[in-house]
Amino acid sequence: MSREYIHLGLNIDHIATLRNARNEGDPSLLELAFEAQDGGADSFTMHLREDRRHIKDKDIFEIKEHAKLPINLEMAISEEMTKIALQLNPRSVCIVPERRLELTTEGGLDVNAHFAALRPLVQELQAAEIEVFPFVEPDLTAIDLCHTLGCNGVELHTGAFARGWKNIYERHRQVQRLQLAAEHCAKLKLELHIGHGLNYVNIGDVLNLPGLTEVNIGHAIIARALKTGLRLAVAEMKALLEKKV
Ligand code: PXP
């Protein structure tokens, strides 16, 4: 699919993490989804983890019902998640590896090891008109396997690029890796998404990857919202205190 501009998928898992700290609905995921929508986000990415540590089942269905933007559901390979994805019917599913003790999705999916399970999963999701994007390292073999599976595209894991960004040699090496992977996707006509660790500083180095249609970003944008919003939030409370003598 070619697009006139690179779409921004906003990962809203961190908002749910903050909400869950009190479990009283503040901040409201839906209210902030509307804010993000007004800010120009193109889609919402949510990872419904097996342990439900941030996004809950209710969240994905509420966002689907009330927000206007398409949903990109991140999920592990499991029967439970497949059932939920088919019920939700998001625009796309990003198939991710999942380990209980990890802080976040630490690496790409081992497509080779999961090939047998992926084949029926990809077919079942696509039969329901859900696009499928495995989350893979910028590795040509993994990309070939996604092509064999008939996936719509891949989301390339940019974690190694983001981690290595401060070292100019490593940055160059990782951009080259992503470039080769992107060219390979273009050759195979696989749509290209990227995500993980992207921020306001490093994004410029990956924007020109050939065929890039979507970036999925969470942490940097939610952290930035705190930085840009905290001054006003404090000032608003101070203004209320000034009314009391
Ligand atoms: N894409 C995928 C598949 C992810 O698992 C994540 C992290 O949950 C992201 C994008 C967003 O990463 P970050 O929060 O570092 O921007």
Side-chain angles (χ1 to χ4, degrees):
M1 183 200 291
S2 80
R3 289 178 176 159
E4 281 172 17
Y5 62 95
I6 297 166
H7 280 198
L8 172 62
L10 178 67
N11 183 313
I12 54 178
D13 296 350
H14 281 346
I15 301 173
T17 300
L18 181 60
R19 186 258 332 259
N20 297 350
R22 288 284 164 90
N23 225 0
E24 290 165 1
D26 185 30
S28 151
L29 201 64
L30 194 58
E31 204 179 313
L32 291 181
F34 290 144
E35 283 293 308
Q37 220 163 253
D38 290 348
D42 296 291
S43 54
F44 293 119
T45 290
M46 290 174 277
H47 186 175
L48 187 67
R49 295 185 76 102
E50 185 198 11
D51 61 11
R52 308 299 200 269
R53 68 170 73 156
H54 37 57
I55 294 291
K56 314 281 185 200
D57 301 52
K58 187 168 171 277
D59 294 326
I60 55 173
F61 288 99
E62 229 170 58
I63 295 280
K64 174 81 193 271
E65 187 181 347
H66 299 289
K68 284 196 292 258
L69 299 179
I71 293 175
N72 175 43
L73 180 71
E74 288 180 17
M75 57 168 252
I77 303 169
S78 83
E79 264 178 46
E80 183 200 16
M81 288 301 151
T82 308
K83 217 184 276 175
I84 293 172
L86 291 171
Q87 227 182 316
L88 179 72
N89 201 255
R91 175 208 68 185
S92 55
V93 154
C94 181
I95 304 171
V96 297
E98 203 173 291
R99 281 190 298 274
R100 249 172 199 265
L101 296 178
E102 68 187 357
L103 290 177
T104 180
T105 315
E106 282 163 5
L109 184 71
D110 185 343
V111 185
N112 189 36
H114 294 101
F115 194 84
L118 280 165
R119 199 182 270 284
L121 174 58
V122 172
Q123 283 171 1
E124 209 175 351
L125 293 171
Q126 287 180 333
E129 294 187 358
I130 301 168
E131 296 171 4
V132 183
F133 293 79
F135 188 42
V136 296
E137 293 295 323
D139 169 77
L140 304 194
T141 309
I143 293 168
D144 280 334
L145 289 171
C146 292
H147 178 249
T148 308
L149 285 166
C151 297
N152 300 75
V154 295
E155 178 168 329
L156 294 181
H157 197 307
T158 45
F161 156 76
R163 275 193 309 279
W165 190 85
K166 283 196 177 136
N167 176 317
I168 189 79
Y169 302 107
E170 184 59 11
R171 185 193 309 176
H172 183 70
R173 202 175 78 82
Q174 293 297 340
V175 170
Q176 282 300 106
R177 235 182 122 208
L178 287 164
Q179 176 75 22
L180 284 178
E183 284 168 7
H184 200 57
C185 288
K187 204 167 72 191
L188 297 174
K189 299 205 165 20
L190 285 170
E191 190 177 332
L192 178 64
H193 298 177
I194 57 173
H196 205 93
L198 297 174
N199 61 37
Y200 294 82
V201 181
N202 65 24
I203 190 79
D205 288 302
V206 286
L207 286 185
N208 291 323
L209 292 175
L212 178 64
T213 57
E214 181 169 302
V215 299
N216 282 300
I217 305 179
H219 191 94
I221 294 179
I222 304 304
R224 180 134 182 127
L226 282 176
K227 282 183 237 165
T228 54
L230 190 59
R231 186 183 293 205
L232 178 63
V234 169
E236 281 176 356
M237 183 54 79
K238 283 291 287 183
L240 291 174
L241 296 177
E242 274 160 21
K243 285 181 194 153
K244 310 257 181 267
V245 184

